[in-house]
Amino acid sequence: MDVRIQFTDQKIGPSNPATTDGAGAVVEFLGVVRGVERDAKISGLVYEIYEPMADRMVRRIVEELDASYPCLTFQLVHRHGFVPVGEAAIHLRIEAPHRTEAIRMLEHFMNRLKTDVPIWKSGFVPC
Amino acid sequence: MDVRIQFTDQKIGPSNPATTDGAGAVVEFLGVVRGVERDAKISGLVYEIYEPMADRMVRRIVEELDASYPCLTFQLVHRHGFVPVGEAAIHLRIEAPHRTEAIRMLEHFMNRLKTDVPIWKSGFVPC
Amino acid sequence: MGEVRVLFFASASEAAGCAEATVPCEEGGIRESLLWERLLAKHPSLASLRGSVRIAKNCEYLAADGELHPGDEAALIPPVSGG
Amino acid sequence: MGEVRVLFFASASEAAGCAEATVPCEEGGIRESLLWERLLAKHPSLASLRGSVRIAKNCEYLAADGELHPGDEAALIPPVSGG
């Protein structure tokens, strides 16, 4: 399985539409910053990442999940620094031979991300 | 919920990256034609759609699922006619306030699509 | 007597060799079993599909006790395989 | 005696008012409890986080019986909230 991880402070661009040979399913996920946090209007969130550990944890998690839900490719982009409302903080793109594996990989990866990967919403910027 | 359905014999283009106000999660799915069907190499599949019924069934299913998994927008594009290997036969884009609803909508919609929506792989074209 | 139009899709149109047929239909309506009887009289090659095909009426699946009336658009829906 | 470098993130760096600290560490290694004792001596403001923060060692979560040795890079990992 081909795993690519990128941490960036730049806006996440549109993904490459090319598909890998043998891929029957492509699942993409964008986690977008919403305009309200704890009942207060915000203009954006600030993210902090412990990059070497986040990279290692992501690879570990994906490897574990791949044993149950075999996929072909896994691409993660996560932003750090300020992310304005309406922009994506995270982008995932998963290719698999079949849709069930790709969907399960997405679902379980996101659950694990939110418990184990050292990334934090470290602040929000009020309007 | 805003539901858009399109049936086309043209290649499915990249999706509009703009997100709807209040959307915290965007899930996209591409179902791609693979190069092997029943152990034979193929150059593509031919799809047939009973369009007015397919449109109605999709709306019905999405409406039912929306009660359990509230989403903001649902866009479906499905091709008919010949779809070459490596191209998408189906594209889904779902926006929801939260990721769980969007992922569940995708998962359950695809299951229902494959039992209830009058769309057929009506043939495959050998290499 | 009126008529019901019946559309054929996928394996049903292949088996019938055409895309649709019309079937006579009483004003009071006919059930699925009578529709099949009249369809098979015209298109005996559809017989092998009867066990797997569902009937639609005006773009909805027909309930087990549903009836077709003159002017309805029916369709033979073989097992679907979209996506 | 050697040293362990300890990185602070998110609420831990806010509470400590800095991004990292160094903690003395015996060659034979120290457990999490001793690391905390020495950290809190330097940064008492971290005390309230102790119940929720996990310790990482060289980019892996430290097991309950894990040890830190001189030269290791440790980190305080408050509850994460990515995505």
Side-chain angles (χ1 to χ4, degrees):
Chain A
M1 189 187 192
D2 180 40
V3 178
R4 291 177 197 206
I5 300 165
Q6 189 195 347
F7 301 119
T8 178
D9 59 1
Q10 301 296 307
K11 187 168 177 171
I12 298 174
S15 65
N16 183 344
T19 53
T20 302
D21 213 35
V26 184
V27 171
E28 298 203 45
F29 173 78
L30 289 170
V32 178
V33 175
R34 300 168 74 206
V36 175
E37 183 82 10
R38 299 172 205 170
D39 294 331
K41 274 200 174 180
I42 60 166
S43 62
L45 290 170
V46 178
Y47 283 88
E48 186 178 356
I49 306 179
Y50 181 19
E51 293 197 16
M53 181 168 171
D55 186 284
R56 184 183 285 221
M57 286 294 127
V58 168
R59 287 179 195 280
R60 170 89 40 84
I61 292 166
V62 171
E63 202 174 279
E64 280 177 31
L65 293 174
D66 189 52
S68 303
Y69 315 111
C71 293
L72 297 169
T73 67
F74 179 98
Q75 288 174 55
L76 165 68
V77 185
H78 202 298
R79 284 179 71 170
H80 55 80
F82 178 68
V83 184
V85 165
E87 290 188 13
I90 183 172
H91 175 236
L92 273 179
R93 186 175 189 274
I94 298 164
E95 292 179 305
H98 305 287
R99 79 177 187 288
T100 306
E101 285 76 5
I103 294 173
R104 288 278 173 276
M105 174 66 84
L106 167 61
E107 181 184 0
H108 291 281
F109 176 78
M110 287 302 299
N111 291 343
R112 293 287 299 275
L113 176 86
K114 284 172 182 284
T115 57
D116 290 344
V117 179
I119 301 177
W120 299 269
K121 285 178 197 162
S122 62
F124 52 95
V125 180
C127 279
Chain B
M1 190 188 192
D2 180 40
V3 179
R4 292 177 196 208
I5 300 166
Q6 188 193 351
F7 302 118
T8 178
D9 59 1
Q10 302 296 308
K11 187 167 177 172
I12 297 174
S15 66
N16 182 344
T19 52
T20 302
D21 212 37
V26 184
V27 171
E28 297 203 45
F29 173 77
L30 289 170
V32 179
V33 175
R34 300 167 74 203
V36 174
E37 182 82 8
R38 298 171 205 172
D39 294 330
K41 274 200 177 182
I42 59 166
S43 61
L45 290 171
V46 178
Y47 284 88
E48 185 178 357
I49 305 179
Y50 180 18
E51 293 197 15
M53 182 169 171
D55 187 283
R56 185 183 286 222
M57 286 295 127
V58 168
R59 288 178 194 279
R60 170 88 39 86
I61 293 166
V62 172
E63 201 174 282
E64 280 178 31
L65 293 174
D66 188 52
S68 303
Y69 314 112
C71 292
L72 297 169
T73 68
F74 179 98
Q75 287 174 56
L76 165 68
V77 185
H78 203 299
R79 283 178 72 170
H80 55 80
F82 178 69
V83 183
V85 165
E87 290 188 11
I90 183 173
H91 175 237
L92 272 179
R93 184 174 192 275
I94 298 165
E95 293 178 305
H98 305 287
R99 79 178 188 287
T100 306
E101 286 76 6
I103 294 173
R104 288 278 173 278
M105 174 67 83
L106 166 62
E107 181 183 2
H108 290 281
F109 176 78
M110 287 303 298
N111 292 342
R112 293 286 300 275
L113 176 87
K114 285 173 181 283
T115 56
D116 291 344
V117 179
I119 302 177
W120 299 269
K121 285 177 196 162
S122 60
F124 51 94
V125 180
C127 279
Chain C
M1 192 163 354
E3 279 181 344
V4 167
R5 186 178 170 210
V6 186
L7 308 180
F8 303 149
F9 291 96
S11 58
S13 70
E14 281 171 39
C18 59
E20 60 179 274
T22 54
V23 167
C25 179
E26 287 80 0
E27 292 300 323
I30 60 173
R31 292 276 176 94
E32 185 169 335
S33 54
L34 192 52
L35 178 76
W36 272 111
E37 197 175 295
R38 291 174 180 176
L39 260 183
L40 293 177
K42 281 192 172 180
H43 296 285
S45 55
L46 290 170
S48 66
L49 300 179
R50 185 168 174 176
S52 62
V53 161
R54 285 192 281 178
I55 305 289
K57 167 187 157 177
N58 301 333
C59 296
E60 301 275 357
Y61 288 109
L62 190 66
D65 60 353
E67 290 185 341
L68 294 155
H69 294 88
D72 282 343
E73 178 180 280
L76 300 194
I77 310 289
V80 304
S81 51
Chain D
M1 188 159 5
E3 278 182 343
V4 168
R5 186 178 169 211
V6 186
L7 308 181
F8 303 148
F9 291 96
S11 58
S13 70
E14 280 171 42
C18 59
E20 59 179 277
T22 53
V23 166
C25 180
E26 287 80 2
E27 292 300 323
I30 61 173
R31 293 276 176 94
E32 186 171 333
S33 53
L34 193 52
L35 178 75
W36 272 111
E37 195 175 298
R38 290 174 181 177
L39 259 183
L40 293 178
K42 280 194 173 180
H43 296 286
S45 55
L46 289 171
S48 65
L49 300 178
R50 186 169 175 175
S52 62
V53 161
R54 285 192 281 178
I55 305 288
K57 168 187 158 176
N58 301 332
C59 296
E60 302 275 358
Y61 288 108
L62 190 66
D65 60 352
E67 288 186 341
L68 295 154
H69 293 86
D72 283 342
E73 178 179 281
L76 301 193
I77 309 288
V80 304
S81 51

